[in-house]
Amino acid sequence: MAAAVRRRRRGRRGTGVAPPTDVAAALRHAGDTRCLRIGEGVLPAVVEVLSTCFGEESAVVVADTNTFAAAGREVDDHLRAAGRSVGPAIVLPGTPAPYADLGTVVALEERLRAHGGVPVVVGSGTLNDLTKLAAHRLGRPYMCVATAASMDGYTAFGAAITVDGFKQTMACPAPRAVVADLAVLAHAPAAMHATGYGDLLGKITAGADWILADALEIEPIDPRAWPLVQDGLRGWVAHPERLRTGDPEAVASLFEGLIMAGVAMQISASSRPASGSEHRFSHLWEMQALAHGHGAVPHGFKVGVGTIAAAALYERLLARDLTRLDVEAVCASWPSRQEVERSVRLRHGPSLATQAVEESLAKYLDAGQLRQRLLLVRERWPAIRERLETQLMTAERLRDRLRSAGCPTDPTEIGIDAPRFVASYALAGTIRRRYTVLDLAHETGLLADCVDELFAPGGFWNRVAIA
Ligand SMILES: [Zn+2]
């Protein structure tokens, strides 16, 4: 299977054109989403889509004041004009933006319970996540009307919700139907296209992490999900500069990529196809911001900086010959379970420590298991390196792409100062059990040296000269 993946990628080399992707074909393998309507001016189709997917059930529009103005009122009007039974719209305050935490989910759930009917959420990331989980808790399928190409969660399994200060993916089905009017998406603020671009570009490092996990027999690549994201990825991320002006074709292409990433997650019932080390950085910063009460930075902006950070770490590892790794020396200084628990607890604040310890211990290897893992790394490194080099882009190129899209590229631009950023390299891998490049660097005993090199004179982050 991995060979098939490699062949597919090689076949594309040199053409410069991504193969056509077929969202409809991809959807046939998805369990939750039955109907996806994307196109210019398709907003009135909400009536038909509602009938096709939900019969004659009543509906209730969920929005915030911004998305209600952008498309929610129109959706509500179309449904009423068609004679559908529609409850009073639930419109949350748009400023400050709603937060995706469990308290807000429960409050929305209560309001939906009072209304009955199919929730029709009009909005993007947070509104979709809130409604997805609230609808699931009520045992109701729901429908989503997209308002921005700002993240990949529209068609994704699970909702990213913060519970007791810890961001987690709560298991719940994707929407039964999604309607996306490209004219509405193109009119979203340019910063929302940029955040979607950051989330999509992160699939470069997410794919590299999956290659690693596959090659080391930790988590095999899912042959149904991988091509949905990776085959078209280079085409979708090719022209970030066009997003700044809201070029409709560029926004449509970005949205297609985000939808395909969501479908891949839905098919795998896992975020693995779309989330790796870059998302570990992003989630760490989100959780730290919660603990410190910092302002919200859009998800894709953090993922973008995380993508550069992960790619820069990959470069340091790829500069080494791991076939010469001194396995016995690494095993001899490997910490015990108790030492890992103590150090993870110490390095995280009290609000994150408990879950970080649980996640870190879930993937803890004893010295014997570590030896087996490292022998595999040593044996397979030439093949792994080749696959990674085909998959990855340089940190510098990723930074240029993000900058062209209008994304922040320097940690300080998203409120992460230099000491916190340096520390993030050691902390990001501890918050989830999923295997990524952060684990490879840690388990080979090379993380600290690689990070030193990144911040030393001439190193990638030193050249960037973060404050
Ligand atoms: Zn994401």
Side-chain angles (χ1 to χ4, degrees), residues 152 199 203 274 279 299 303:
D152 60 16
D199 204 15
K203 296 354 171 196
H279 273 77
H299 171 71
V303 173

Side-chain angles (χ1 to χ4, degrees), residues 374-440:
L374 296 180
L375 289 173
L376 210 55
V377 169
R378 217 164 63 172
E379 177 196 321
R380 297 188 178 174
W381 185 242
I384 293 174
R385 180 206 292 265
E386 194 195 333
R387 290 175 72 187
L388 290 176
E389 283 175 346
T390 306
Q391 169 69 19
L392 284 162
M393 290 184 191
T394 64
E396 204 158 322
R397 190 153 170 229
L398 290 163
R399 192 187 58 202
D400 291 346
R401 292 275 179 103
L402 288 164
R403 197 174 279 156
S404 297
C407 296
T409 57
D410 184 314
T412 56
E413 292 175 79
I414 55 167
I416 315 288
D417 62 18
R420 196 167 143 214
F421 183 56
V422 175
S424 298
Y425 272 99
L427 291 178
T430 65
I431 58 169
R432 281 273 176 99
R433 63 193 68 188
R434 176 169 300 161
Y435 188 88
T436 71
V437 66
L438 295 161
D439 298 290
L440 177 70

Side-chain angles (χ1 to χ4, degrees), residues 254-280:
L254 169 65
F255 190 70
E256 182 187 344
L258 294 168
I259 285 289
M260 292 294 267
V263 173
M265 287 190 267
Q266 193 177 140
I267 287 173
S268 302
S270 159
S271 59
R272 173 58 104 169
S275 163
S277 45
E278 73 298 323
H279 273 77
R280 297 296 82 72

Side-chain angles (χ1 to χ4, degrees), residues 437-457:
V437 66
L438 295 161
D439 298 290
L440 177 70
H442 172 61
E443 291 172 359
T444 50
L446 295 168
L447 182 60
D449 284 355
C450 288
V451 173
D452 283 350
E453 288 166 14
L454 289 174
F455 293 92

